[in-house]
Structure formats: C-alpha cells, structure tokens
C-alpha cells in the first residue's frame, strides 16, 4: 500500500517537472499559432484546449510534431486544412510539450508520456 502511494507521488512529480519544461517549450514554439490559452484561431489554427483530435490519439500528435502536418483534419467538429511545419524539437522536448498540452486548459491525460515511448514512436 505505501509503495503504491509512493509510486503515485513519484509519477505526479515526473509529470509536474515535465509540464514545467513543456510550458516554456510551448511558449517559444507553439503559442504564435495555437495561442497561450490553447484556443487557437478560429478556422485557421485548431484548438489544443479540449481537442478531441489531440486527446483521442496522443501518439498521432507526437508524430505530427516531429514530421509536421498538412491536409484536412476535423477538430471538435470543425474542419481545418492548413499546414503545421515540423517542430524541429528533440524527442525530450516533444515529450515535455506533449505532457504540457495534454494536461492543460481542461485536458487531462491518463498517462504520463515518457521519453522512451516518444523515441519508440519516432523510431529513434
Ligand atoms: C505556424 C503555425 C503553427 C505552429 C508554430 C504550431 N502549430 Fe500545431 N497546428 C497548426 C496547424 C495549421 C494545424 C492543423 C494542420 C492541418 O489542418 O492539417 C496544427 C495542428 C496541431 C495539432 C493537431 C490538431 C489539434 O488541434 O489537436 C496539435 C496537437 C498541434 N498542432 C500542436 C502543436 C504544438 C505542441 C506546437 C508547438 C511545438 C505547434 N502545434 C506549433 C499550426 C501550427
């Protein structure tokens, strides 16, 4: 039982540290398009806040941050057809920014995203 509680505390700590780093990465690399409150810009830049597209498939978002994204997508029932350039972020930075965006503005990720998973997803 105590070990269990200890593990939960440890995991939360990991998440807090990763999110703090992720917030800085977000403010430098993402905020111009997706805005500081994660709402994006209507019809142009999709929202990350309460995004069904993001939260239903974080693995897909990890690839999109690495490789970039273009073409039609639907986020919360609204269509977008723009281009997001490849972020140029390292796997560690992608891990941290993903932990930030999937746990901010009302989003809650059941799992803490780990560097080793991101590396595996990106084939690194
Ligand atoms: C130059 C503007 C721009 C920047 C900078 C940018 N994005 Fe995007 N992002 C877009 C556009 C445009 C789309 C939708 C692309 C499409 O329509 O196919 C998108 C889509 C997304 C999506 C999937 C759709 C959704 O809303 O859930 C996620 C997640 C995302 N961006 C996260 C990020 C993160 C994190 C960063 C910073 C590392 C970032 N973006 C930087 C423009 C940008």
């Amino acid at each position: 039982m105590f070990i269990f509680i200890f593990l939960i505390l440890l995991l939360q700590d990991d998440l807090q540290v990763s999110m703090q780093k992720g917030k800085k990465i977000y403010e430098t690399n993402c905020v111009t398009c997706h805005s500081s409150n994660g709402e994006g810009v209507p019809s142009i830049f999709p929202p990350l806040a309460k995004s069904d597209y993001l939260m239903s498939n974080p693995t897909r978002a990890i690839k999109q941050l690495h490789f970039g994204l273009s073409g039609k997508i639907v986020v919360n029932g609204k269509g977008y057809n723009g281009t997001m350039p490849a972020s140029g972020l390292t796997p560690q930075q992608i891990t941290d920014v993903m932990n930030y965006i999937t746990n901010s503005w009302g989003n809650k990720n059941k799992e803490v995203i780990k560097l080793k998973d991101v590396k595996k997803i990106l084939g690194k």
Side-chain angles (χ1 to χ4, degrees), residues 101-112:
I101 66 173
T102 60
N103 291 288
S104 298
W105 319 298
N107 295 346
K108 186 80 199 92
N109 195 349
K110 293 188 293 294
E111 291 174 39
V112 180

Side-chain angles (χ1 to χ4, degrees), residues 29-30 33-34 46-48 51 53-54 65 69-71 80 82-84:
N29 297 278
C30 323
C33 296
H34 293 286
L48 308 180
S51 160
Y53 183 91
L54 167 64
L65 288 177
L69 167 66
S70 63
Y80 296 84
T83 298
M84 174 165 74

Side-chain angles (χ1 to χ4, degrees), residues 48-117:
L48 308 180
K50 304 196 177 85
S51 160
D52 58 354
Y53 183 91
L54 167 64
M55 295 309 288
S56 67
N57 195 341
T59 301
R60 175 176 62 188
I62 288 166
K63 290 186 192 147
Q64 289 167 344
L65 288 177
H66 183 70
F67 295 108
L69 167 66
S70 63
K72 195 166 189 304
I73 60 169
V74 176
V75 183
N76 297 342
K78 297 206 176 80
Y80 296 84
N81 196 354
T83 298
M84 174 165 74
S87 68
L89 298 176
T90 64
Q92 180 67 65
Q93 289 173 315
I94 290 179
T95 306
D96 294 333
V97 85
M98 280 297 298
N99 277 322
Y100 177 65
I101 66 173
T102 60
N103 291 288
S104 298
W105 319 298
N107 295 346
K108 186 80 199 92
N109 195 349
K110 293 188 293 294
E111 291 174 39
V112 180
I113 296 167
K114 304 227 173 56
L115 174 61
K116 69 170 170 29
D117 301 328

